[in-house]
Amino acid sequence: MQEELLQFERNEVWTLMPLLKGKTAIGTKWVFRNKKDEDGVVIGNKATLVAMGYCQEEGVDYEETFASVARLEAIRIFLAFADHRGFEVFQMDVKSAFLNGKIQEEVYVQKPPGFESSKYPSHVYFLDKALYGLKQAPRAWYDRLSNVLLANGFERGTTDTTLFYKKIYRTTLFSKGKILLVHIYVDDIIFGSTNESYCKKFESLMKSEFEMSMMGELTFFLGLQLKQTKEGIFIKQSKYVSDILEKYKLSDSSPMKLPMATRSMLYVDPKGKSVECKLYRGMIGSLLYLTASRPDIIFATFL
């Protein structure tokens, strides 16, 4: 928690001041989580201060909230292109990414729980930058990051605005010229280049602008487990499968060779227990995400 608040000081996120007349302060809370690797082993603990964004009022506390988010299909195309051109993909993580996004609105938040000030009991914090939980936080972070990349010679994708690329020489995306590709998913950044030295230059650029941690070769991203070899990039989702089986209490179910029983009998049971729609939709959504590495279940899932 103290480390999180030190990040606030380094990024000059807020200013302590009396609450102005007619203004209201949004509440804050702490969120704690364990960060795990692809094997489910805890590799870090994190405390995040979150603003209670559900209390925000549109037109007063925020205006524009939209921020581009990479689609899974775009990530697969990125990996396919990297495999086609034969370059390695790396990953970086931004520490407290949203704290880097400057907000335009006038927003006040209450002091963090457990860190109230006896000297200034009625003071609140005026935000210069975004907090997790604010509705405009993703937008502010994306604007800040994209501006940095565009100012350093990158171009933004026209179809997928979370993709940025830099042409080392005059060339097209699918020619043999040198190119650096960067894909953004909120605070996770994956990148690669046909010339590895440009990856190091990009790493230096990002570390000069933000507090970053270099995670090395891409091995786990958005539930995808990746193995990069000379023969190609291989994807699997075994950890994701285990997680959804455990989530829906199906770990002890018997395996089947086909996605659906060949002789299943479907009938109406008026006296039976109604299906919980939220649970059913969650299961289908989980299976749809699994089709990233299991195209053999697409028909049964969509059916």
Side-chain angles (χ1 to χ4, degrees):
M1 294 161 71
Q2 291 176 341
E3 184 180 346
E4 174 81 347
L5 295 180
L6 284 174
Q7 287 270 8
F8 284 30
E9 291 183 15
R10 288 194 292 268
N11 287 282
E12 299 178 345
V13 172
W14 56 19
T15 304
L16 186 66
M17 62 181 294
L19 183 63
L20 300 180
K21 186 176 181 180
K23 303 293 183 180
T24 57
I26 300 170
T28 57
K29 65 178 181 179
W30 289 102
V31 175
F32 306 98
R33 67 184 180 91
N34 295 325
K35 195 167 185 178
K36 300 180 181 179
D37 61 11
E38 65 269 23
D39 298 319
V41 178
V42 176
I43 58 176
N45 302 308
K46 186 170 179 61
T48 305
L49 185 67
V50 177
M52 298 179 182
Y54 55 83
C55 299
Q56 288 183 271
E57 184 178 347
E58 185 176 2
V60 177
D61 299 311
Y62 69 94
E63 296 289 345
E64 182 62 56
T65 62
F66 174 78
S68 300
V69 177
R71 294 172 58 86
L72 184 60
E73 294 87 346
I75 301 298
R76 291 183 62 184
I77 293 173
F78 182 98
L79 295 173
F81 180 72
D83 181 50
H84 173 68
R85 294 298 299 273
F87 62 80
E88 194 173 3
V89 182
F90 301 93
Q91 183 177 13
M92 298 183 80
D93 179 64
V94 188
K95 295 181 180 179
S96 302
F98 287 1
L99 303 185
N100 294 284
K102 192 170 181 62
I103 59 176
Q104 306 300 322
E105 299 83 4
E106 186 178 356
V107 181
Y108 300 87
V109 296
Q110 298 174 3
K111 299 185 190 71
F115 292 86
E116 294 82 1
S117 172
S118 57
K119 188 176 181 180
Y120 302 105
S122 59
H123 281 43
V124 295
Y125 283 105
F126 171 73
L127 292 181
D128 294 305
K129 296 182 180 178
L131 283 186
Y132 284 89
L134 291 182
K135 295 183 181 296
Q136 64 267 49
R139 176 73 180 188
W141 159 242
Y142 174 78
D143 286 345
R144 170 74 193 285
L145 178 57
S146 60
N147 288 336
V148 169
L149 293 176
L150 294 174
N152 283 275
F154 283 85
E155 297 179 56
R156 181 166 25 207
T158 52
T159 303
D160 182 5
T161 54
T162 61
L163 173 68
F164 293 82
Y165 59 93
K166 188 173 185 178
K167 300 173 184 177
I168 312 305
Y169 300 119
R170 291 188 176 274
T171 178
T172 62
L173 278 176
F174 297 97
S175 71
K176 293 299 182 180
K178 294 180 175 60
I179 192 170
L180 171 63
L181 293 175
V182 178
H183 220 137
I184 301 166
Y185 188 87
V186 192
D187 58 351
D188 286 315
I189 300 173
I190 61 174
F191 62 98
S193 175
T194 49
N195 189 327
E196 193 171 336
S197 65
Y198 289 98
C199 289
K200 295 179 180 178
K201 291 180 180 179
F202 175 72
E203 180 185 351
S204 300
L205 168 65
M206 296 303 292
K207 287 185 176 180
S208 67
E209 293 285 343
F210 311 104
E211 288 196 45
M212 312 284 297
S213 58
M214 184 66 182
M215 302 176 69
E217 176 187 336
L218 180 64
T219 58
F220 187 67
F221 188 67
L222 303 181
L224 302 176
Q225 296 163 260
L226 299 105
K227 181 69 174 178
Q228 301 185 58
T229 67
K230 293 181 179 180
E231 289 73 28
I233 299 177
F234 299 90
I235 301 174
K236 65 177 183 178
Q237 291 175 283
S238 57
K239 180 181 182 300
Y240 177 73
V241 171
S242 300
D243 289 343
I244 60 176
L245 288 176
E246 184 177 348
K247 178 180 179 180
Y248 296 112
K249 298 179 175 58
L250 296 171
S251 300
D252 297 330
S253 299
S254 301
M256 296 187 65
K257 294 182 179 180
L258 297 174
M260 189 172 184
T262 55
R263 297 184 179 180
S264 59
M265 301 295 293
L266 304 177
Y267 60 93
V268 178
D269 185 4
K271 297 182 181 180
K273 186 178 179 181
S274 299
V275 175
E276 189 178 338
C277 294
K278 185 178 180 181
L279 178 65
Y280 175 75
R281 290 168 182 163
M283 289 180 172
I284 297 301
S286 299
L287 287 174
L288 288 174
Y289 195 78
L290 183 59
T291 58
S293 63
R294 291 292 304 273
D296 57 313
I297 67 171
I298 290 179
F299 179 75
T301 303
F302 279 91
L303 182 65

